[in-house]
Amino acid sequence: MKKIVELKNVSKSFDGELVLDHINLDIYDNEFLTLLGPSGCGKTTTLRIIGGFETADEGEVIFMGEEIGDVPPHKRNVNTVFQRYALFPHLNVFENVAFPLREKKVPKAEIEQRVGEMIKLVALTGFEKRSVTSLSGGQQQRVAIARALVGRPKVLLLDEPLAALDLKLRKDMQQELKNIQKATGITFIFVTHDQEEALSMSDTVVVMSEGRIQQIGTPIDIYNEPKNAFVADFIGESNILDGVMLRDRKVSFSGHLFDCVDEGFAPREPVDVVVRPEDVDIVAPEKGMLQGTVTSVTFLGVHYEIIVDIDGFKWMIQTTDFVDVDEHIGLYIEPDAIHIMKKSEYSGMFGDYSSYSMELDEIGELEQIEELGELTEEPVEEAKEAESEA
Amino acid sequence: MKKKASGNLTLIRRLALAPYSFWAALFIVVPLIFVAYYAFTDLQFRFTTDNITRFFTATSTVADETGEHEVRTYVLIFLRSLKLAVISTVICLIFGYPFAYLISKAGARTQSILITLIMIPMWMNFLIRTYAWMTILQDTGILNGFLGMLGLGRIHIIGTESAVVIGMVYDYFPYMILPIYSVMAKMDVKLLEAARDLGCNGVGVLRRVIWPLSLPGVISGVTMVLIPSISTFYISQKLGNGKFYLIGDAIEGQYAANNLHFAAAIAFILMVILLIGMAFMQRFANKRAAV
């Protein structure tokens, strides 16, 4: 596969604070690559450096074999879909999409044809003359995508493009973006903090934290073989325990010796052990490898999420079997459900559910809803006006 | 249910607006009615269009190097006022627009300092500011003193159209900057980034995004400079040595001569012309915005 963008030892600071710490990343032609991480991890800065809106303090940005560190954005064969779309409010849908072509002085007939194609690609036919401010969030999103693609860039940068959409629309757009990427064959570099989005859309996921790349891999690799406690915790739910690798395929944790499938660690090497909540079977206490007491049970539709106290460490287990709070249960873990990681700076920071509560998650969701409210303010006002006119 | 609630709201709104409506009626609508009433009546308050006709037909003779000419007095004065006002407005726009842009791009602290500096002269009385310019521009004034010191010789500027324009530009410059600045300060920087991303260089961003989006500010700036400068009278008397009789001077002169009906007629005509001009400009702006 051909490399299209290479970042070599790229560093960037803002006001003396290191935002990117020697990033090395190869991005291949035709790839759907996602930069995933919590806010402040440097993913958006990475995107802006590729787009030309920031200059790296150190290191090289190579585009199709050429160093482009000093090339301004308008001369890069890269386009961006901005977080809040940044559509031009003084132009209608057609003119927004035609914007880059008019700048390049493309002949009128060709503009008509190419803009028409793009509007069709994003399923907005019939909306050409509409003002962009009268469109819904999802429609604005489509205009932004059409506008970014009409110039036929080699690479499309997408900065959390779905963050402002509601859940249902977000799922649809994920699928649609994936289809557009396949249909056009353009490399997509997608930034998100939503791990589910990253797993479901990407060919390659780059997990970032604190300005450093933690892991690069396919979604399946990242989920099944997380490199450290940060990745294991950020992608999905994980119970992360202190363990000792006794020898190949033998690991001890929670006071029990387990069979596992990992090899290549030093004898008696301390390690982090990851067990996914869905990989634990609930059995009778005497048949379990570990025994504990259920402290909470939450019904989530598809399964129950239960928290089990095992010698003071709280495990999360997802199960379809009903158990009651205060019930004493046994846990059974298959060897291939155990994943061993080297100790890292993130060891001990994640993977214990003793402070976990659904409330915290809800607060997170509320914040998101508030953000949405901010965005939908205008249409709401318009609706009010329409009402009072009526 | 919903409709009733909004009905109540309208009532509350109306009540809340009542003092302002009353104020506006008393100090804006009533005086305008009086102006129109005086414009269309004679000394005995009988209806007449003579005052209006007089504005367009009154003539006088002026002499210049090519001899004596018969001119339509008030039409000529109006055109002269329009010319000086347009020149002043254009100068304000040419200097004010980039200035407003630069201020909007500065840091928050610098922005508030610069805006305060622009507003400070507005806190001083208009007459005093104009007198200050007299002392600067006089043949023996500060400007000529300075030029003399540099050995550049003197210039005669007081009593010329340039002096009047300088006075107008100085007095009305803030009214051009402030509305443009307030539009630009609110402009989303992401739009400018998007334009660059989509192939615009600096000039392209300015021409295709910043300018069209700042047009509402430009229009209110132009309005706020053009209207007071077209009807100004004091500046032309002091800085033009009274040689450039402007439409404002004409109105003032007629009032001073206790000729209220004709003064009202001039004011009325000026107002109608300005209203037509404004409507035209607004239409132009809406058309641009709709494209």
Side-chain angles (χ1 to χ4, degrees), chain A residues 48 51-53 73-74 76 78-80 82 86-92 95-96 98-100 102-103 105 147-148 159 387 390, chain B residues 2-3 6 13 188 190-205 207-210 212-213 288-291:
Chain A
R48 288 174 64 79
F53 300 110
H74 67 275
R76 295 189 183 195
V78 169
N79 285 131
T80 309
F82 290 88
L87 299 179
F88 301 118
H90 58 297
L91 301 174
N92 64 21
E95 285 304 324
N96 260 281
F99 190 94
R102 296 226 188 276
E103 192 63 28
K105 307 260 186 292
R147 186 182 67 175
D159 185 7
E387 197 180 286
Chain B
K2 227 174 184 177
K3 218 161 197 176
S6 76
R13 255 193 213 166
D188 186 358
K190 286 277 176 223
L191 292 179
L192 314 186
E193 279 187 359
R196 284 201 290 151
D197 187 68
L198 295 166
C200 287
N201 57 16
V203 179
V205 176
R207 190 174 60 83
R208 300 192 60 198
V209 180
I210 299 176
L213 287 178
R288 282 291 304 244
V291 166

Side-chain angles (χ1 to χ4, degrees), chain B residues 99 103 113-122 173-175 177-178:
Chain B
F99 197 37
I103 296 175
I113 291 173
L114 287 173
I115 289 297
T116 313
L117 284 177
I118 287 167
M119 301 224 291
I120 282 175
M122 293 166 75
F173 195 53
Y175 298 101
I177 287 190
L178 294 177

Side-chain angles (χ1 to χ4, degrees), chain A residues 87-125:
Chain A
L87 299 179
F88 301 118
H90 58 297
L91 301 174
N92 64 21
V93 171
F94 184 94
E95 285 304 324
N96 260 281
V97 179
F99 190 94
L101 302 181
R102 296 226 188 276
E103 192 63 28
K104 278 190 209 149
K105 307 260 186 292
V106 172
K108 256 204 172 132
E110 195 187 333
I111 291 182
E112 291 273 339
Q113 183 232 330
R114 281 171 70 177
V115 172
E117 269 170 25
M118 277 303 140
I119 288 181
K120 199 172 153 204
L121 180 73
V122 297
L124 277 179
T125 313

Side-chain angles (χ1 to χ4, degrees), chain B residues 58-76:
Chain B
T59 56
S60 50
T61 9
V62 289
D64 63 16
E65 51 270 28
T66 59
E68 293 198 336
H69 302 275
E70 186 89 337
V71 293
R72 290 185 190 277
T73 319
Y74 294 102
V75 176
L76 185 79

